[in-house]
């Protein structure tokens, strides 16, 4: 169920653990996973976190994360910039959440500097922001070659309206992450945007059984969240039916093993974070397709 406060989250988790006696918990979003992790650890019950912040998995041996991470997203972006010759000026605009704060300050900015890129302007914005006038004016003044945008997508229509109004579009090449998979921005404005995405989203999959079943059930193609969610549930079923012991921490049992799911091959690092192949695509106005060098 969808839970809006830590108190409701913990109440539901306690019921599942104490009354229902579940062996594995699955928690969606970073906040919910962080709230439930201590309780799951106390009950020696494995928690699968369905969120982007890799630090969530470090909270306990009983916590693993089965979702694309912001670090995976950033790695494809940084790999792109490795191939872009200098001089190059880059601006960064991102949603003000802990996961993005950490990856921007701890990974993206230092890596761009080491590549010889000049990071001219870095700015965060609150979730739900609808007025990007000030940011757009600063971006126009910066005149950077590239603009990295990291967010959830629902705020992008307001952002792109300001970027267009203040002539940032067409001057700075935009590169971002999975938020561009969901945004309702005018497709004409998205053409040419580079997007760091899980590699499997760039491959046609209508022939797969999951794809056909999903279309039959819901009348629409599955998005990448649906595929990650199904993969996580299948992983729990497979672990429970295999040689893995659910009564012990999953993290040390999974490290170094290769897995294959509907999202393609993946592994786990020593912290219990899923490592999934990430690639750079380009928006053609309708969808994200593989990017050519």
């Amino acid at each position: 169920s969808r839970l809006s406060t830590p108190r409701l989250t913990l109440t539901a988790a306690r019921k599942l653990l104490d009354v229902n006696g579940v062996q594995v918990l699955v928690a969606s979003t970073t906040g919910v996973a962080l709230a439930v992790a201590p309780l799951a650890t106390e009950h020696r019950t494995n928690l699968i976190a369905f969120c982007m912040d890799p630090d969530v998995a470090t909270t306990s041996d009983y916590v693993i994360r089965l979702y694309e991470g912001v670090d995976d997203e950033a790695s494809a972006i940084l790999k792109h910039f490795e191939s872009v010759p200098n001089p190059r000026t880059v601006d960064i605009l991102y949603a003000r959440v802990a996961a993005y704060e950490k990856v921007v300050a701890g990974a993206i900015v230092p890596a761009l500097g080491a590549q010889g890129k000049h990071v001219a302007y870095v700015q965060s914005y609150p979730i739900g922001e609808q007025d990007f006038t000030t940011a757009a004016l600063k971006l126009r003044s910066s005149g950077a070659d590239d603009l990295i945008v990291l967010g959830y997508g629902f705020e992008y229509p307001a952002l792109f309206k300001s970027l267009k109004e203040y002539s940032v579009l067409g001057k700075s090449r935009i590169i971002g992450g999975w938020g561009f998979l969901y945004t309702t921005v005018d497709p004409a404005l998205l053409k040419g945007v580079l997007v760091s995405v899980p590699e499997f989203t760039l491959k046609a999959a209508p022939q797969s059984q999951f794809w056909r079943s999903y279309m039959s059930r819901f009348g629409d193609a599955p998005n990448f969240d649906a595929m990650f969610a199904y993969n996580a549930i299948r992983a729990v079923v497979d672990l429970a039916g295999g040689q893995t012991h659910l009564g012990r921490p999953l993290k040390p049992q999974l490290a170094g093993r290769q897995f294959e799911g509907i999202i393609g091959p993946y592994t786990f690092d020593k912290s219990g974070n899923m490592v999934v192949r990430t690639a750079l695509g380009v928006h053609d106005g309708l969808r994200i397709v593989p990017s050519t060098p």
Side-chain angles (χ1 to χ4, degrees):
S1 61
R2 185 176 179 180
L3 304 171
S4 57
T5 68
R7 181 181 63 81
L8 290 175
T9 297
L10 289 173
T11 298
R14 285 195 179 95
K15 178 180 182 298
L16 290 170
L17 291 166
D18 296 334
V19 178
N20 300 97
V22 299
Q23 291 183 285
V24 179
L25 288 173
V26 179
S28 179
T29 75
T30 299
V32 170
L34 288 173
V36 174
L39 187 64
T41 302
E42 178 186 332
H43 284 71
R44 298 186 177 183
T45 300
N46 285 287
L47 170 67
I48 293 177
F50 197 68
C51 61
M52 292 187 71
D53 192 338
D55 286 350
V56 168
T58 66
T59 58
S60 166
D61 283 345
Y62 283 92
V63 180
I64 63 171
R65 193 180 56 79
L66 259 169
Y67 197 69
E68 180 202 20
V70 290
D71 46 353
D72 297 319
E73 186 175 88
S75 67
I77 293 174
L78 292 171
K79 185 176 180 180
H80 160 74
F81 279 105
E82 286 178 358
S83 64
V84 177
N86 294 327
R88 201 78 179 178
T89 302
V90 183
D91 290 339
I92 304 173
L93 188 66
Y94 65 95
R96 194 177 303 144
V97 294
Y100 282 133
E101 293 272 4
K102 288 180 285 190
V103 79
V104 168
I108 295 177
V109 171
L112 289 175
Q115 293 175 13
K117 308 298 187 292
H118 173 57
V119 179
Y121 174 66
V122 180
Q123 182 63 51
S124 65
Y125 58 85
I127 294 296
E129 180 64 81
Q130 291 297 302
D131 184 1
F132 290 93
T133 301
T134 300
L137 286 169
K138 290 182 178 179
L139 291 168
R140 183 176 70 178
S141 177
S142 168
D145 300 296
D146 302 279
L147 169 61
I148 297 174
V149 177
L150 301 173
Y152 290 97
F154 56 78
E155 71 276 35
Y156 290 176
L159 170 61
F160 271 71
K161 179 181 178 181
S162 291
L163 294 180
K164 180 182 179 182
E165 181 178 353
Y166 293 101
S167 304
V168 178
L169 289 182
K171 293 183 179 179
S172 296
R173 181 155 199 183
I174 296 175
I175 179 170
W178 66 271
F180 283 102
L181 290 167
Y182 289 131
T183 187
T184 56
V185 172
D186 179 352
L189 302 181
L190 293 175
K191 197 168 185 179
V193 171
L194 295 175
V195 189
S196 172
V197 291
E199 191 177 77
F200 72 86
T201 64
L202 300 175
K203 299 178 179 179
Q207 71 279 9
S208 72
Q209 180 59 47
F210 171 74
W211 192 285
R212 291 195 299 269
S213 298
Y214 192 97
M215 288 285 291
S216 175
R217 177 82 178 270
F218 300 105
D220 198 4
N223 60 30
F224 97 125
D225 258 342
M227 296 182 75
F228 265 119
Y230 181 80
N231 188 81
I233 298 303
R234 283 303 318 171
V236 173
V237 173
D238 292 343
L239 291 172
Q243 300 301 313
T244 307
H245 296 279
L246 296 181
R248 299 203 302 262
L250 286 174
K251 189 177 300 185
Q253 301 181 69
L254 302 181
R257 290 169 58 183
Q258 180 85 26
F259 295 87
E260 186 73 32
I262 62 167
I263 62 167
Y266 62 94
T267 58
F268 290 90
D269 65 19
K270 63 181 180 180
S271 295
N273 285 299
M274 168 189 268
V275 180
V276 62
R277 292 178 181 174
T278 307
L280 204 66
V282 61
H283 217 298
D284 68 2
L286 297 174
R287 54 195 170 88
I288 298 168
V289 299
S291 174
T292 54

